[in-house]
Amino acid sequence: MSDTDVEEVPAPSRESTPRRRTGYVAGLFVLLVLLLLSAVVVLIAQGSIAIPIGEVLRILTGQGTESEINQTIVMDARLPKVVAGLLAGAALAVSGVQMQTLFRNPLAEPFVLGVNSGAILGAAIVILGTSGVGWLAGLGVVSQLGVTGAAVAGAAVVLLITLGISRRVGNPVVVLVIGVMLGYLAEAGVDMLVYYTDPDRLQALTTFRRGSVRNVTWNELQIVGITCGAVLGVSILLAQPLNALLLGERYAASLGINVRRVHFLSLASVAGLAGIITAYCGEIAFIGLAAPHLARGLLRTADHRLVLPASALTGAIIVLVAEFIAGGNGITSTSLPLTSVTAFVGAPVILWVLMSGRARRGTQ
């Protein structure tokens, strides 16, 4: 065969790879949005009273329905829970991204700061200490706070301690250790309450700790929405500084970034979110740990400008799918704990992170 018979293979265009990359990322985000919208609609339609998906879409788009019962179920019973799950999943996932970057630890997540333990302790004081003939029953102020108010107060106490140490020390590792210590102290307080409490009252505390978005009302959703919106807004502003922190604090400081301020803003937003979510939705585990790794794996990049929104979408999808599997949206009579279902997603992801890390070390 002569040289003239050989076809010339055109050299790959320099723009082909960036264009393919952009197309892949855009397609991935479109897919995540479609999955999220589908999860919202399916979860609203699910329940002891099944509502056709077409009718759900008409109600959500304002076209109305002939059944006032279905209208009430969708708008008052199911939609608040779905929105709460969406916001909680998105904010927890974004907070997880920030924590893993700040501490340079793939296993870091929002609840390691101990704020959620403070919220649980506050709730336990009301549930176990003020009901019936409880030892705090005479303290009217504590009783009037209610479970949610006491949980917010408990989270606020731990939050103030953590942020005070953060401003004084400035070392995120020290803040992490302090947060873990405060978490253990709060858990010890809960254990003491449980030990000296009538066993008949423990069911309410157990239900609170298992995590659920089914009891969130529209009024409570306003607080959850403002908090989650603030965290998401702060995360967008911190995307570029977090990218610089991936290469080390000295490198970030050389670019003119106030590393200490970035640490404080991230820790403040994450700790505040963990407390609010725990107070209103209970402890929803593994979302802040698993969703960031899933987002990075899908995107094949650590760029926070992409990882943060992808993690938010992924976290929201996981919570809504977990709620669908759990079988509850305020209508069904029986349901599984939400955090138990999310563990089935989070645990394999953590194992994958550990095994892939071990594989990388073996190849070096």
Side-chain angles (χ1 to χ4, degrees):
M1 183 170 57
S2 64
D3 293 340
T4 58
D5 295 332
V6 179
E7 295 184 1
E8 294 184 0
V9 179
S13 172
R14 294 181 179 178
E15 298 182 358
S16 60
T17 300
R19 286 180 179 178
R20 290 178 183 175
R21 173 67 181 168
T22 301
Y24 171 78
V25 171
L28 178 62
F29 274 100
V30 170
L31 177 61
L32 290 176
V33 171
L34 291 177
L35 288 175
L36 179 61
L37 294 177
S38 300
V40 168
V41 174
V42 171
L43 184 56
I44 292 177
Q46 177 234 7
S48 59
I49 300 178
I51 300 176
I53 292 180
E55 187 167 359
V56 171
L57 291 174
R58 287 194 296 271
I59 294 174
L60 293 179
T61 54
Q63 299 179 18
T65 177
E66 296 180 357
S67 174
E68 294 184 1
I69 296 178
N70 289 345
Q71 177 85 17
T72 301
I73 291 174
V74 170
M75 299 304 297
D76 297 334
R78 297 183 180 178
L79 186 58
K81 284 71 178 176
V82 172
V83 175
L86 188 154
L87 291 174
L92 285 173
V94 167
S95 297
V97 175
Q98 296 182 57
M99 292 293 291
Q100 291 167 11
T101 300
L102 289 178
F103 297 111
R104 304 179 69 83
N105 187 336
L107 299 181
E109 51 99 18
F111 293 146
V112 298
L113 295 177
V115 180
N116 64 309
S117 298
I120 293 174
L121 176 60
I125 290 175
V126 172
I127 294 173
L128 304 180
T130 62
S131 57
V133 294
W135 53 276
L136 289 177
L139 298 180
V141 175
V142 177
S143 300
Q144 291 174 5
L145 280 175
V147 175
T148 302
V152 172
V157 171
V158 178
L159 171 63
L160 292 176
I161 296 175
T162 303
L163 295 184
I165 295 173
S166 174
R167 288 186 66 90
R168 189 176 185 87
V169 177
N171 188 340
V173 176
V174 175
V175 176
L176 176 63
V177 174
I178 297 297
V180 173
M181 182 194 71
L182 292 175
Y184 280 124
L185 289 175
E187 289 291 339
V190 174
D191 290 339
M192 291 181 65
L193 288 173
V194 170
Y195 184 80
Y196 289 105
T197 300
D198 185 350
D200 294 337
R201 301 180 194 164
L202 297 180
Q203 182 60 41
L205 179 62
T206 302
T207 302
F208 177 84
R209 300 187 67 168
R210 287 178 175 176
S212 174
V213 297
R214 299 156 205 162
N215 299 319
V216 181
T217 64
W218 280 118
N219 291 333
E220 295 173 339
L221 193 58
Q222 295 178 8
I223 300 176
V224 177
I226 292 173
T227 304
C228 294
V231 172
L232 295 175
V234 170
S235 68
I236 294 174
L237 297 176
L238 295 178
Q240 199 62 39
L242 289 174
N243 278 343
L245 284 177
L246 289 174
L247 300 177
E249 294 184 2
R250 291 185 178 179
Y251 175 79
S254 69
L255 297 178
I257 296 174
N258 190 330
V259 176
R260 191 164 183 170
R261 180 180 300 174
V262 172
H263 286 165
F264 179 79
L265 289 176
S266 294
L267 291 174
S269 61
V270 170
L273 166 91
I276 289 293
I277 293 299
T278 304
Y280 287 94
C281 304
E283 190 173 7
I284 304 177
F286 287 106
I287 300 300
L289 187 58
H293 291 294
L294 290 174
R296 293 190 192 97
L298 291 172
L299 289 169
R300 298 193 293 271
T301 182
D303 188 348
H304 287 83
R305 294 171 298 180
L306 298 175
V307 172
L308 286 170
S311 297
L313 292 172
T314 303
I317 292 171
I318 293 175
V319 171
L320 295 184
V321 172
E323 180 65 17
F324 177 82
I325 295 173
N329 48 37
I331 300 299
T332 54
S333 58
T334 59
S335 57
L336 296 171
L338 180 60
T339 191
S340 299
V341 180
T342 57
F344 283 103
V345 177
V349 172
I350 296 171
L351 292 175
W352 169 71
V353 171
L354 294 175
M355 296 303 296
S356 62
R358 181 179 298 178
R360 285 193 297 269
R361 288 191 296 269
T363 57
Q364 291 176 353

